[in-house]
Structures are given as structure tokens and as C-alpha cells.
Amino acid sequence: MSEIEIRDDRAAGRLEAVAGGEVVGRIEYFVLEEPGRALVPVHTVVEPAHEGKGIAGSLARELYAVAGREGTVVAPLCPYVVKWAERHPDEAPAADPGLLRAAKAWVVAHPGRF
């Protein structure tokens, strides 16, 4: 497999895994501003031809790294990222329950966004 590059397309709300110039996986997310700032992953998608290569885990790890560099937190709604965080508590600090409730409310208030 070619080298995977991960890039953050903040304007589109996607953290993308790119191999050979092709997007092979992504985490779709949004930035929650209230009641506190958080990156909120909603979906993780890996193209079928690239499944089982650790791409989703690399994306989750990078999302937490981006949050760390920005001094913010991750409030995961995506089931994959929730499970990944449970398996990697040293890299993925638990989100405040209030942020998770606010993130869920944001998704409900923006139907069709995800």
C-alpha cells in the first residue's frame, strides 16, 4: 500500500486519508463552539478496497492529535471513534457529558448536514 497522508479540510469538515492522490477514507466532523469548543466526529468512512489497513484508526488518532494541538477536545458521536477512544484512553481523553449532549443537539438542529 502506498503511503497514507492525512489532511484536514476544515472548511468541508473532513479529515481525509489520501493514498496515491485518491481519498481512501475520511472522518466527517464539525466544530462545536458552545458550551465549549470541541471537534465532533460524526461519521468515519473507509473505501471498501482499503478496509482493514488501519486507515480508520489513523484518522481517529490524527483527529485527537489535531484537537490536542489546538488546545481543544474531541466529543465523538461517530460509533467508530467512540470505540477507538475507549481502546486508546491515553490518546483520547473522555469528553465532558455536557459537550456530548450539546453536540447531539447540534446535529438534531441541523438536519441533512450529516
Side-chain angles (χ1 to χ4, degrees):
M1 180 175 83
S2 57
E3 187 69 26
I4 295 288
E5 172 195 351
I6 297 179
R7 63 182 180 210
D8 186 5
D9 185 347
R10 182 65 53 99
R14 287 190 303 265
L15 193 64
E16 299 174 327
V18 180
E22 173 190 2
V23 176
V24 297
R26 69 186 180 279
I27 288 180
E28 297 173 4
Y29 72 95
F30 66 93
V31 179
L32 182 72
E33 297 292 349
E34 295 294 330
R37 187 170 170 83
L39 301 183
V40 183
V42 180
H43 294 296
T44 300
V45 178
V46 174
E47 296 304 320
H50 297 277
E51 290 176 352
K53 298 178 181 175
I55 293 170
S58 294
L59 284 164
R61 179 172 280 114
E62 181 61 17
L63 185 72
Y64 277 91
V66 167
R69 288 192 297 272
E70 293 179 3
T72 190
V73 298
V74 175
L77 298 183
C78 167
Y80 176 83
V81 177
V82 169
K83 287 186 175 71
W84 186 90
E86 289 170 356
R87 291 191 311 265
H88 300 88
D90 54 323
E91 296 177 73
D96 178 90
L99 282 177
L100 291 170
R101 283 192 299 275
K104 289 175 186 173
W106 189 96
V107 171
V108 169
H110 297 83
R113 175 71 169 85
F114 291 99

